[in-house]
Amino acid sequence: MRRTARNLPGVLPMLRRFRRRRYERAIAPFLAARDGRARRLPDGIVYEATMRCNLRCEFCYVGELLNIEGQWRQELPIDMLRRAFPERKGLQVSLTGGEVFVRKDIEQVLDLFRAKRYTCGYLTTNGTLLDNERARALARLAAAGFLRHVSISIDGPPPLHDAARGVTGTFARAAAGLRRLQAAATESGAPIRISVNTTISADSLGALDRMADVAGELGVEAIGVNHLMFATPEEVAETRRLLGDPRAEIATFVTAQPGVNAEEVRVKIEALAARCHSRGIHFDARPKVGNTAMEAYYSPGAPLAGRCLYPFLHARVGFSGKVYFCPFIRVEVGDLSQAPLEEIWNNETSARLRRTLLEQRLFPVCRRCCKVELERPC
């Protein structure tokens, strides 16, 4: 396991406190003004580089919900990307998809953002297309100070992962890609953080605590666990009513019953956390669901209190340049092929949606999102 400052005793709690104070300072003006206006530019941009993918995972809703216009191959070309994204040193951009490496010009996209002096907070991938050339390219970007974190999606031990991904041998290909990236980073001395990311589901929950063994065998330093993100049909309907848009696209897993037992989740997460601790593997779960909120979280329709201020700080940009209110609520607030991000970021549509969010504190479909700040129940 690579030894970093993050692994030293007391460092992570100190980092968490620092980040919390910085976050509270950042959101204080928005809470005071309550006019829905954010700063001139977002702190970060999540760019969905493509919605195409080389896998067809059984739990993935991207193909049905995010490809709203059927424009799978009409990603913004490099020249338009250069004009559309602002010039701002230090702006954080993160890349997701789809599978980012299905996009043939993805290395040019990354080089463009590096040339704009951005930083790449994270890049998510299924790992199966990470050949030696791409691994070395990522290592070079990390060595240059641009790329900080690569997250590779792993659902569990090999048989479980292959079943979830729908293709035999997917785990072996992902593991091989991960090791190529590790080797390239070691060769170049690149300070790149590599983690595995797994999502709780009815199929994967039974093996969740074994993810520490998977991570240990792969030699990664961190595991990120996503609680199952879902909404009921009733929560979708109520969110659309609050938005005043009966056709608003909601991009999450919509189900009346997720089929996941809250107590089993609690037991498995505690076991996984303990095994990660014993192996020196950093463990994190998103959103922060404490034991007292676990039952409500996995009970369809149960009320959950909290807030979300993500749309005040982060822009969500689709592959074709359309800017959305947030990852779940796919209400278009602008189009980078028609207007620059600075103009879209604080336009009236964006401000109106943020004002409504402040009034509601949390839309019903946002109760089970990785960005939500859940309150502890009384």
Side-chain angles (χ1 to χ4, degrees), residues 66 89 107 127 156 209 231 264 327:
L66 302 193
K89 181 181 179 181
E107 290 177 31
D209 54 336
E264 187 178 0

mmCIF file of all heavy atoms in Angstrom, residues 66 89 107 127 156 209 231 264 327:
data_model
loop_
_atom_site.group_PDB
_atom_site.id
_atom_site.type_symbol
_atom_site.label_atom_id
_atom_site.label_comp_id
_atom_site.label_asym_id
_atom_site.label_seq_id
_atom_site.Cartn_x
_atom_site.Cartn_y
_atom_site.Cartn_z
ATOM 1 N N LEU A 66 -30.374 9.447 -19.497
ATOM 2 C CA LEU A 66 -29.485 10.570 -19.768
ATOM 3 C C LEU A 66 -29.337 10.855 -21.258
ATOM 4 O O LEU A 66 -28.979 11.955 -21.652
ATOM 5 C CB LEU A 66 -28.113 10.331 -19.138
ATOM 6 C CG LEU A 66 -28.112 10.118 -17.620
ATOM 7 C CD1 LEU A 66 -26.706 10.225 -17.083
ATOM 8 C CD2 LEU A 66 -29.014 11.128 -16.915
ATOM 9 N N LYS A 89 -7.871 29.820 -14.131
ATOM 10 C CA LYS A 89 -6.841 28.976 -13.528
ATOM 11 C C LYS A 89 -7.357 28.363 -12.236
ATOM 12 O O LYS A 89 -7.964 29.030 -11.400
ATOM 13 C CB LYS A 89 -5.587 29.807 -13.241
ATOM 14 C CG LYS A 89 -4.451 29.010 -12.625
ATOM 15 C CD LYS A 89 -3.253 29.895 -12.350
ATOM 16 C CE LYS A 89 -2.126 29.090 -11.707
ATOM 17 N NZ LYS A 89 -0.943 29.941 -11.406
ATOM 18 N N GLU A 107 -8.215 12.003 -24.801
ATOM 19 C CA GLU A 107 -6.925 12.546 -24.380
ATOM 20 C C GLU A 107 -6.776 14.002 -24.815
ATOM 21 O O GLU A 107 -6.192 14.820 -24.087
ATOM 22 C CB GLU A 107 -5.788 11.693 -24.940
ATOM 23 C CG GLU A 107 -5.702 10.308 -24.286
ATOM 24 C CD GLU A 107 -4.631 9.434 -24.893
ATOM 25 O OE1 GLU A 107 -3.605 9.984 -25.364
ATOM 26 O OE2 GLU A 107 -4.812 8.202 -24.900
ATOM 27 N N GLY A 127 -12.504 0.899 -16.348
ATOM 28 C CA GLY A 127 -11.164 0.329 -16.367
ATOM 29 C C GLY A 127 -10.864 -0.628 -17.493
ATOM 30 O O GLY A 127 -9.693 -0.960 -17.737
ATOM 31 N N GLY A 156 -17.616 -5.994 -6.954
ATOM 32 C CA GLY A 156 -17.399 -7.075 -6.008
ATOM 33 C C GLY A 156 -16.366 -8.040 -6.541
ATOM 34 O O GLY A 156 -15.655 -7.735 -7.510
ATOM 35 N N ASP A 209 -18.763 -6.665 2.211
ATOM 36 C CA ASP A 209 -17.630 -6.654 3.140
ATOM 37 C C ASP A 209 -16.378 -7.274 2.539
ATOM 38 O O ASP A 209 -15.270 -7.053 3.037
ATOM 39 C CB ASP A 209 -18.006 -7.357 4.448
ATOM 40 C CG ASP A 209 -18.547 -8.757 4.224
ATOM 41 O OD1 ASP A 209 -19.057 -9.042 3.123
ATOM 42 O OD2 ASP A 209 -18.468 -9.576 5.163
ATOM 43 N N ALA A 231 -35.475 6.737 -6.144
ATOM 44 C CA ALA A 231 -36.645 7.529 -5.782
ATOM 45 C C ALA A 231 -37.885 6.730 -6.145
ATOM 46 O O ALA A 231 -37.863 5.908 -7.067
ATOM 47 C CB ALA A 231 -36.638 8.869 -6.507
ATOM 48 N N GLU A 264 -29.150 -5.101 7.057
ATOM 49 C CA GLU A 264 -28.041 -5.800 6.402
ATOM 50 C C GLU A 264 -27.015 -4.805 5.870
ATOM 51 O O GLU A 264 -25.809 -5.041 5.943
ATOM 52 C CB GLU A 264 -28.555 -6.692 5.276
ATOM 53 C CG GLU A 264 -27.462 -7.574 4.679
ATOM 54 C CD GLU A 264 -27.961 -8.502 3.582
ATOM 55 O OE1 GLU A 264 -29.171 -8.472 3.271
ATOM 56 O OE2 GLU A 264 -27.135 -9.245 3.028
ATOM 57 N N PRO A 327 -27.253 16.601 -11.176
ATOM 58 C CA PRO A 327 -27.183 15.263 -11.770
ATOM 59 C C PRO A 327 -28.535 14.550 -11.836
ATOM 60 O O PRO A 327 -28.793 13.807 -12.788
ATOM 61 C CB PRO A 327 -26.225 14.511 -10.836
ATOM 62 C CG PRO A 327 -25.432 15.558 -10.157
ATOM 63 C CD PRO A 327 -26.330 16.746 -10.027
#
